[in-house]
Amino acid sequence: MSFPHVRNRRLRSSQALRNLVRETSVSVNDLIYPIFVTHGTNIKEEIPSMPGVYHYSLDLLESELAEVAALGIQAILLFGVPETKDAKGSSAYDPNGIVQKASRKIKELQPNLLIVADTCLCQFTDHGHCGVVHYDEHKGCADVVNDASLELLVKTAVSQAEAGADIIAPSNMMDGFVYAIRQGLDEAGFENVPIMSYSVKFASSFYGPFRDAAHSTPQFGDRKTYQMDPANIREAIREAESDVVEGADMLMVKPALAYLDVIRAVKENFDLPLVAYNVSAEYSMVKAAAERGWIDEKTVVLETMIGFKRAGADLIITYFAKDIARWLKD
């Protein structure tokens, strides 16, 4: 049958009726909030390219964590900005590194708040790449060495778990990183610590503000030899499949907004919880447009979150998490 017997607008006539038949929803339980911690004292510095996002020293974390917990957000994604850097990113796996110190502090202040530790080397290396760099004299260029990088990533993951991280989130895109980290965690007695893998991480232009925040811009070249080509979706499925086989507990697609088709494809092929990372430029573009009065920030953000969920995401990492939590309460 068709019009006039079928009238689809009948189910849209009031807010209550629209709520009753709503197919997709966003909950505060879906949200993971990124936090940047740094050395020093009395530091709360706004990141210029990310309005409303700050670097925090450990002594000023308490009020921020209290606000996060009061809003009902149950997990944070922890990034550290180190005091020193070297070629092998040794402060990433230092027991007294910034992420390790912050994890212990967070567990003291908010023991029920889940810490998702970003496990990578780029913030901690002086060259800004996600692994060990080797200069090939024959080729006349530098390259990121895969297997040697895995050893350092395992040390980093174990160090983070020892400091109190509840979830390890490796973001480096080395081949075999999930297998290596899973084996390392198990051997260290952390077999119950899950891995949230950055399974499908594209070499994207949407990371610019984050690199400003994490001080992780590559000092030479780019990351296209290990992060994915934005044009490839079949490769994305292969990457996700590798992580499933190697023991990942959760999968991730990063970025999210320009890759909704990838989120849907991963969801249709695998039954693990799926995370969408609403990355820094996606955040900053909305903030910039809202500041100029071009868009309504609240409605645009909530519509975007619905889009992530509708595409298949179970969880969303977003710098808007606190705002969303407030709007959902209202």
Side-chain angles (χ1 to χ4, degrees):
M1 291 193 300
S2 62
F3 179 85
H5 299 288
V6 176
R7 290 181 180 269
N8 291 312
R9 289 182 58 189
R10 290 184 186 124
L11 299 182
R12 304 174 194 156
S13 59
S14 70
Q15 184 63 57
L17 190 51
R18 292 192 294 273
N19 289 343
L20 197 65
V21 298
R22 171 164 275 210
E23 300 172 18
T24 308
S25 62
V26 176
S27 161
V28 70
N29 295 334
D30 302 330
L31 306 175
I32 300 171
Y33 181 55
I35 290 181
F36 296 89
V37 294
T38 190
H39 288 278
T41 57
N42 200 35
I43 295 173
K44 181 183 177 182
E45 295 178 347
E46 189 172 36
I47 298 161
S49 56
M50 300 178 70
V53 180
Y54 297 84
H55 288 128
Y56 290 94
S57 55
L58 300 185
D59 58 311
L60 295 187
L61 266 181
E62 185 171 4
S63 60
E64 174 71 354
L65 296 173
E67 182 183 17
V68 168
L71 288 168
I73 297 168
Q74 298 181 75
I76 60 167
L77 178 59
L78 184 60
F79 294 103
V81 180
E83 194 169 29
T84 60
K85 302 186 178 193
D86 58 34
K88 291 190 174 181
S90 60
S91 57
Y93 43 88
D94 184 342
N96 291 311
I98 185 60
V99 170
Q100 290 78 1
K101 285 183 176 179
S103 296
R104 291 191 288 268
K105 183 73 171 179
I106 292 164
K107 284 303 177 184
E108 289 176 12
L109 296 170
Q110 295 289 343
N112 294 323
L113 190 64
L114 290 173
I115 299 173
V116 182
D118 180 80
T119 306
C120 197
L121 302 177
C122 59
Q123 301 104 289
F124 305 95
T125 56
D126 53 14
H127 47 72
H129 280 282
C130 303
V132 177
V133 169
H134 171 70
Y135 184 78
D136 190 324
E137 294 183 359
H138 298 292
K139 294 181 179 179
C141 63
D143 190 24
V144 177
V145 183
N146 195 92
D147 294 8
S149 301
L150 294 179
E151 297 177 17
L152 301 185
L153 291 165
V154 170
K155 291 175 66 174
T156 301
V158 171
S159 176
Q160 291 170 337
E162 288 174 342
D166 299 286
I167 300 171
I168 297 299
S171 60
N172 53 87
M173 288 297 286
M174 297 294 113
D175 289 338
F177 69 97
V178 171
Y179 174 80
I181 290 173
R182 182 72 275 158
Q183 188 175 42
L185 289 172
D186 290 355
E187 290 175 355
F190 296 107
E191 61 274 1
N192 291 324
V193 173
I195 295 175
M196 177 192 291
S197 174
Y198 285 65
S199 305
V200 184
K201 183 177 180 181
F202 291 92
S204 172
S205 298
F206 285 87
Y207 303 149
F210 173 86
R211 291 175 181 174
D212 184 24
H215 302 170
S216 62
T217 302
Q219 298 304 298
F220 64 89
D222 53 42
R223 295 178 178 146
K224 293 181 180 179
T225 65
Y226 46 101
Q227 293 179 0
M228 280 188 53
D229 185 339
N232 294 356
I233 191 168
R234 295 195 302 273
E235 184 184 7
I237 300 303
R238 295 198 299 273
E239 286 281 5
E241 183 177 26
S242 295
D243 290 356
V244 171
V245 171
E246 292 174 18
D249 300 281
M250 291 176 264
L251 306 177
M252 187 192 302
V253 174
K254 178 184 180 184
L257 193 56
Y259 298 89
L260 295 176
D261 59 327
V262 180
I263 294 172
R264 169 53 59 187
V266 172
K267 185 68 172 182
E268 289 176 346
N269 280 275
F270 308 103
D271 61 2
L272 293 180
L274 180 57
V275 185
Y277 197 146
N278 181 209
V279 298
S280 58
E282 297 170 355
Y283 170 87
S284 296
M285 289 189 298
V286 170
K287 282 290 186 182
E291 285 176 0
R292 287 160 175 78
W294 295 343
I295 61 172
D296 181 276
E297 181 177 345
K298 174 182 175 180
T299 58
V300 167
V301 171
L302 291 178
E303 184 176 337
T304 302
M305 299 303 125
I306 286 289
F308 296 151
K309 291 296 296 291
R310 195 181 62 248
D314 300 294
L315 303 171
I316 303 168
I317 299 170
T318 178
Y319 303 96
F320 288 112
K322 292 196 299 182
D323 294 323
I324 295 167
R326 293 189 193 97
W327 295 330
L328 292 176
K329 281 191 173 185
D330 292 340

